């Protein structure tokens, strides 16, 4: 399957899996809370039933001095049982508290009241209010076949939601932790997938660029060698010199390309060591600009040096500093579709920093390109388009060397309006 199709498919599948896991986790927690709530309700219902049985037992103890069988017990309760006048508030309170404890309901406070058939309160706890009857648990305090008026016990006991959370705390925390791990793993996986996709594209572009850059000099060398073996040329000293020179120049060109790749590898391993010395940045810039003047003139372009810094001394490696300027000027020249007009400007700041600006009238860059322009092997043009040659190593090299000098580099650009690269370096001896 094509990589461009499989990556989105993998992301979609992983996303659906994570969403599914999150949904299941939330459903599980919600169901667990519901079960705890139902368990609490069953426990309170059991407390009410046990309270009724305990009240019956205490009533019989108070009213009779002898043991009754089950039938006699039920008959006596059906004909005589009543709370009113038989129990005090403290007795009912103590019975309820004991039954709550026996049912392992960890509730510090509760309110209750007992009403008669006319719904008049005949007994209640100290802080009972009419509002407590709303949502209160209730049980009738009389046998089912009672001949007397039925009395009702209302028990108001607030369900402690925090208690449920505390009891399930370790499960909820574990669920959150493992879910977070899954989400993080998903994020890392997706990021890795996209990084691998980007690396694959960069590798393909690099191979295409390298093949093109090496193929041209090899073809030229091959033609030159064929010419040297020609009978008409082999005895012509001037032509031998010309073709030998071509072979030498193309060989140099290939060596430069290989050196760029090796240099990038050394930068990645941080194996390049700088030989720092005091340099006049204006002299270095002027020298590099002079060496590139011929190439710029061939494109009917110009380079304008506005070296206005009063003190242009920097502590830098001469070779690498020259390469920085060369790469920026070369980049400005290559990405100009019209006659290149390059401006190099220097400014000195009060904090001792030297700013070098290289401005061009090239094709410019959009925001996406600006964000990636300093990445190794990245090029604004794809690898199979060769109107602009190179491996995409120049600007990554510039950034690495500038930062090695404790400097900063940034780019300002817009499509069709050229680009401005700004380098800031410490001036003098640090």
């Amino acid at each position: 399957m094509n990589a461009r199709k499989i990556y989105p498919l993998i992301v979609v599948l992983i996303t659906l899996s994570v969403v599914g896991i999150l949904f299941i986790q939330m459903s599980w927690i919600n169901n667990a809370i519901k079960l705890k709530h139902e368990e609490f309700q069953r426990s309170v219902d059991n407390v009410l039933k046990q309270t009724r049985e305990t009240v019956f037992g205490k009533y019989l103890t108070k009213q009779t001095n002898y043991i009754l069988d089950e039938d006699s017990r039920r008959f006596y309760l059906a004909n005589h049982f009543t709370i009113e006048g038989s129990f005090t508030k403290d007795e009912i309170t103590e019975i309820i508290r004991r039954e709550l404890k026996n049912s392992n309901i960890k509730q510090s406070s509760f309110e209750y009241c007992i009403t008669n058939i006319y719904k008049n309160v005949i007994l209640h706890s100290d802080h009972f209010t009419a509002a407590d009857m709303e949502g209160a648990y209730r049980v009738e305090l009389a046998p089912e076949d009672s001949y007397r008026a039925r009395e009702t016990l209302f028990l108001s006991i607030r369900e402690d939601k925090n208690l449920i959370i505390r009891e399930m705390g370790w499960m909820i925390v574990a669920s959150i932790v493992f879910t977070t791990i899954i989400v993080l793993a998903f994020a890392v996986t997706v990021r890795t997938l996209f990084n691998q996709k980007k690396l694959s594209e960069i590798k393909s572009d690099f191979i295409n660029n390298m093949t093109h850059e090496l193929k041209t000099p090899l073809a030229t060398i091959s033609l030159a060698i064929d010419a040297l073996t020609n009978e008409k040329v082999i005895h012509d000293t001037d032509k031998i010199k010309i073709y030998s020179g071509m072979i030498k120049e193309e060989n140099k060109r290939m060596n430069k390309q290989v050196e760029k790749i090796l240099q990038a590898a050394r930068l990645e391993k941080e194996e390049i060591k700088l030989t720092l010395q005091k340099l006049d940045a204006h002299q270095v810039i002027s020298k590099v600009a002079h060496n590139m003047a011929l190439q710029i003139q061939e494109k009917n372009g110009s380079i304008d040096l506005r070296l206005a810094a009063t003190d242009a001394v920097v502590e830098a490696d001469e070779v690498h500093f020259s390469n920085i300027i060369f790469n920026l000027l070369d980049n400005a020249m290559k990405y100009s579709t019209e006659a290149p007009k390059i401006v190099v400007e220097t400014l000195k700041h009060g904090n001792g920093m030297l700013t070098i600006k290289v401005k061009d009238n090239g094709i410019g860059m959009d925001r996406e390109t600006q964000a990636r322009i300093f990445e190794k092997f990245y090029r604004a043009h794809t690898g199979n388009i060769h109107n602009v040659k190179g491996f995409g190593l120049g600007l990554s090299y510039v950034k690495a060397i500038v930062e090695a000098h404790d400097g900063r580099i940034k780019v300002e650009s817009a499509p069709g309006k050229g680009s401005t690269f700004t380098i800031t370096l410490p001036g003098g001896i640090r």
Side-chain angles (χ1 to χ4, degrees):
M1 185 180 289
N2 192 310
R4 292 184 178 180
K5 294 181 179 179
I6 197 169
Y7 280 119
L9 178 61
I10 291 173
V11 171
V12 169
L13 290 176
I14 294 177
T15 302
L16 290 175
S17 299
V18 171
V19 170
I21 290 171
L22 290 174
F23 176 77
I24 292 171
Q25 290 280 15
M26 294 303 296
S27 297
W28 177 82
I29 292 173
N30 187 51
N31 289 335
I33 291 174
K34 284 182 178 179
L35 288 173
K36 282 289 183 180
H37 175 68
E38 292 172 0
E39 181 182 345
F40 177 82
Q41 289 182 321
R42 287 194 297 271
S43 296
V44 175
D45 288 339
N46 183 62
V47 166
L48 291 175
K49 292 176 182 178
Q50 292 301 320
T51 298
R52 181 176 62 183
E53 294 301 319
T54 302
V55 168
F56 288 166
K58 285 188 173 293
Y59 178 81
L60 292 173
T61 302
K62 285 184 176 185
Q63 301 298 326
T64 62
N65 294 321
Y66 51 89
I67 298 175
L68 301 174
D69 58 29
E70 186 61 27
D71 291 337
S72 300
R73 181 177 181 275
R74 292 183 60 184
F75 179 80
Y76 189 87
L77 289 172
N79 286 274
H80 300 91
F81 177 79
T82 181
I83 288 288
E84 192 171 7
S86 302
F87 289 88
T88 65
K89 173 188 65 178
D90 292 338
E91 287 177 318
I92 298 297
T93 300
E94 182 59 30
I95 291 171
I96 294 174
R97 182 176 289 114
R98 188 184 304 116
E99 295 302 332
L100 286 172
K101 183 178 179 181
N102 291 339
S103 296
N104 293 320
I105 295 179
K106 300 174 182 178
Q107 190 70 27
S108 57
S109 63
F110 60 88
E111 301 298 333
Y112 73 89
C113 77
I114 299 174
T115 61
N116 58 23
I117 192 172
Y118 304 108
K119 300 189 182 300
N120 295 324
V121 177
I122 58 176
L123 200 65
H124 64 82
S125 57
D126 292 335
H127 303 290
F128 173 80
T129 63
D132 290 326
M133 292 187 68
E134 296 182 11
Y137 297 89
R138 65 186 64 189
V139 66
E140 290 187 355
L141 297 177
E144 294 180 1
D145 53 354
S146 176
Y147 300 111
R148 294 180 60 85
R150 295 177 180 272
E151 297 164 332
T152 305
L153 168 64
F154 291 85
L155 177 62
S156 176
I157 177 169
R158 303 292 181 185
E159 183 178 3
D160 189 352
K161 301 292 183 182
N162 293 330
L163 178 62
I164 295 177
I165 298 299
R166 286 195 297 271
E167 289 180 350
M168 298 177 57
W170 68 272
M171 290 187 290
I172 294 174
V173 170
S175 176
I176 293 172
V177 168
F178 288 122
T179 301
T180 302
I181 291 172
I182 290 171
V183 171
L184 290 175
F186 164 69
V188 171
T189 302
V190 171
R191 183 179 177 183
T192 303
L193 281 173
F194 281 109
N195 285 341
Q196 289 297 324
K197 182 175 180 287
K198 185 172 74 172
L199 288 174
S200 177
E201 291 173 352
I202 290 173
K203 182 186 72 173
S204 298
D205 284 352
F206 173 71
I207 291 172
N208 289 335
N209 288 325
M210 184 176 67
T211 302
H212 178 79
E213 293 293 330
L214 297 181
K215 187 177 180 180
T216 301
L218 285 172
T220 304
I221 290 172
S222 179
L223 290 172
I225 291 173
D226 289 341
L228 287 173
T229 59
N230 191 297
E231 290 292 334
K232 295 180 180 180
V233 176
I234 199 168
H235 299 295
D236 190 332
T237 306
D238 292 335
K239 287 185 177 181
I240 288 175
K241 288 181 179 180
I242 292 172
Y243 289 124
S244 297
M246 289 174 60
I247 293 172
K248 186 175 181 180
E249 288 301 317
E250 294 301 319
N251 184 58
K252 275 186 186 179
R253 182 176 165 187
M254 284 195 297
N255 281 332
K256 283 183 180 179
Q257 302 292 0
V258 173
E259 182 59 29
K260 278 187 180 180
I261 298 170
L262 294 175
Q263 197 173 60
R266 287 196 293 269
L267 276 173
E268 189 173 7
K269 295 180 181 179
E270 299 181 352
E271 292 180 354
I272 288 184
K273 294 182 180 180
L274 302 177
T275 304
L276 300 177
Q277 56 183 307
K278 292 175 69 175
L279 297 175
D280 187 334
H282 288 173
Q283 289 183 3
V284 176
I285 293 170
S286 299
K287 182 179 178 181
V288 174
H290 176 74
N291 292 339
M292 295 191 67
L294 185 60
Q295 298 178 51
I296 295 172
Q297 289 171 10
E298 286 179 353
K299 290 192 169 187
N300 299 317
S302 63
I303 180 168
D304 182 11
L305 301 182
R306 301 176 184 176
L307 310 179
T310 54
D311 180 10
V313 176
V314 293
E315 187 184 10
D317 184 295
E318 184 174 5
V319 174
H320 289 295
F321 184 63
S322 299
N323 288 341
I324 289 172
I325 305 301
F326 172 81
N327 275 285
L328 291 177
L329 294 179
D330 183 59
N331 193 71
M333 184 177 62
K334 287 193 300 185
Y335 285 93
S336 295
T337 54
E338 303 174 357
K341 293 181 180 180
I342 305 170
V343 177
V344 181
E345 183 181 2
T346 61
L347 301 168
K348 188 72 174 182
H349 299 282
N351 57 2
M353 303 294 284
L354 177 68
T355 295
I356 304 170
K357 292 187 176 183
V358 179
K359 184 177 181 180
D360 63 59
N361 63 332
I363 60 176
M365 295 174 279
D366 56 23
R367 289 186 179 274
E368 181 184 357
T369 303
Q370 290 179 55
R372 299 186 59 192
I373 196 67
F374 296 111
E375 292 180 14
K376 192 180 296 181
F377 303 118
Y378 179 80
R379 300 172 71 221
H381 295 269
T382 56
N384 59 349
I385 298 177
H386 300 288
N387 57 324
V388 178
K389 298 181 180 181
F391 294 140
L393 295 172
L395 290 177
S396 66
Y397 166 80
V398 168
K399 185 174 186 292
I401 295 300
V402 168
E403 290 179 347
H405 283 82
D406 295 333
R408 301 186 303 275
I409 183 171
K410 66 177 183 178
V411 61
E412 299 173 49
S413 184
K417 296 184 179 180
S419 304
T420 300
F421 287 86
T422 302
I423 295 174
T424 304
L425 293 172
I429 299 297
R430 285 168 282 170

